[in-house]
Amino acid sequence: MTSVKRQGWRPTQTNLIASAVILAGLALMALSWWFMLLVGLGIFGPGLLREFGWLRDKDEFQRGADHRAGYHAFLAAGLAATLLIAWVRTGEREIKDPQELGTLFFALLIFVWIFSSLLAYWGSQKTAARILTGFGLGWLIFVIASNLGPEWRGWGGLFMSLLVPLPFFVLAWLARPLPRIAGGALLLASAYYFYLFGIFQRDNIGLVTQGVTFLFLLCPLLACGIALLAYRREEEEVETAN
């Protein structure tokens, strides 16, 4: 089998400028939501310039990864829109917080595009391992900050809380030698958290708000699980240039 060379992602000058614009927009949104336009400019501006042919900073592999990620984002957003329309039109239902619909679909597009891009650059195992490690670190910081606050529960309480992020680090390690076992465990964990947090089962919280929670809380785990279950042994023969 011919070895395919997968490129590792590296920030370019365009990426750095776009990231600075996005961060500036996020910081200034505390003053006015109109600065959300800066976020959109940083995210979509470089792509528009490339499609018009005014910016040529990516090779064939990078452009292919972008187009594939864009198609995946289209499929995800289209499926979500279809399900939402069917749900609303088949009964006397109202959408609470309809102003958040834009937030939901914006976040869905960005999440799917980023995850698909990382899969193209890193492959399923490395992408899942790094995302799970990031998830674990996020939970670790959260539980430490919670226990060191005014409601100090002692060293025993802190130790028990530190067990919460441990599964993420274990699964991140298992993603390399046992990708399908780690993928199955992630799907089971996603189902457990879906039940635990009562997502889409609470009447006092709007459907769209629950959708945003599901996207940020469970979709990274779900996506990593699916990617690892779909792992093909041929990926081991793919050379990654990092």
Side-chain angles (χ1 to χ4, degrees):
M1 179 178 177
T2 303
S3 178
V4 180
K5 191 170 185 177
R6 175 182 285 130
Q7 298 184 14
W9 182 86
R10 293 181 178 87
T12 63
Q13 184 177 8
T14 304
N15 296 138
L16 295 175
I17 294 173
S19 298
V21 173
I22 293 170
L23 292 175
L26 291 173
L28 293 171
M29 274 196 298
L31 301 177
S32 172
W33 277 98
W34 281 110
F35 287 107
M36 178 68 186
L37 296 176
L38 284 179
V39 178
L41 178 64
I43 293 175
F44 301 110
L48 289 172
L49 293 177
R50 293 183 188 107
E51 290 302 304
F52 282 117
W54 298 336
L55 181 62
R56 296 182 176 88
D57 63 337
K58 291 193 173 184
D59 58 25
E60 184 177 354
F61 172 85
Q62 293 169 322
R63 291 195 301 271
D66 282 350
H67 290 166
R68 182 171 177 267
Y71 183 61
H72 288 169
F74 159 74
L75 291 176
L79 178 61
T82 302
L83 292 173
L84 184 62
I85 292 170
W87 184 82
V88 172
R89 300 286 185 179
T90 52
E92 297 294 329
R93 301 185 176 99
E94 293 185 2
I95 298 179
K96 296 179 182 179
D97 304 322
Q99 70 275 11
E100 297 296 334
L101 276 173
T103 303
L104 173 63
F105 282 97
F106 179 83
L108 179 62
L109 284 169
I110 299 304
F111 169 77
V112 174
W113 188 88
I114 290 176
F115 188 81
S116 179
S117 297
L118 293 179
L119 282 177
Y121 283 100
W122 291 340
S124 57
Q125 290 175 294
K126 186 176 292 186
T127 299
R130 291 181 176 180
I131 288 178
L132 289 171
T133 300
F135 235 73
L137 289 174
W139 272 105
L140 184 63
I141 294 171
F142 174 76
V143 297
I144 290 176
S146 299
N147 280 273
L148 294 181
E151 298 181 359
W152 169 252
R153 291 180 292 176
W155 292 106
L158 177 60
F159 175 76
M160 294 301 295
S161 298
L162 291 178
L163 296 178
V164 174
L166 181 61
F168 298 114
F169 295 113
V170 173
L171 290 173
W173 177 79
L174 281 178
R176 301 291 185 119
L178 300 170
R180 291 192 177 90
I181 292 179
L186 280 170
L187 293 187
L188 291 176
S190 300
Y192 171 73
Y193 286 126
F194 186 91
Y195 170 78
L196 179 66
F197 293 111
I199 297 178
F200 300 128
Q201 300 172 17
R202 301 176 63 178
D203 296 331
N204 61 326
I205 300 179
L207 177 70
V208 177
T209 303
Q210 295 184 70
V212 174
T213 303
F214 173 74
L215 180 63
F216 285 106
L217 186 62
L218 295 185
C219 274
L221 303 182
L222 190 61
C224 288
I226 293 173
L228 289 174
L229 282 177
Y231 169 78
R232 294 177 299 175
R233 189 160 296 277
E234 287 81 359
E235 288 190 23
E236 294 178 352
E237 302 179 17
V238 176
E239 179 186 356
T240 304
N242 279 320

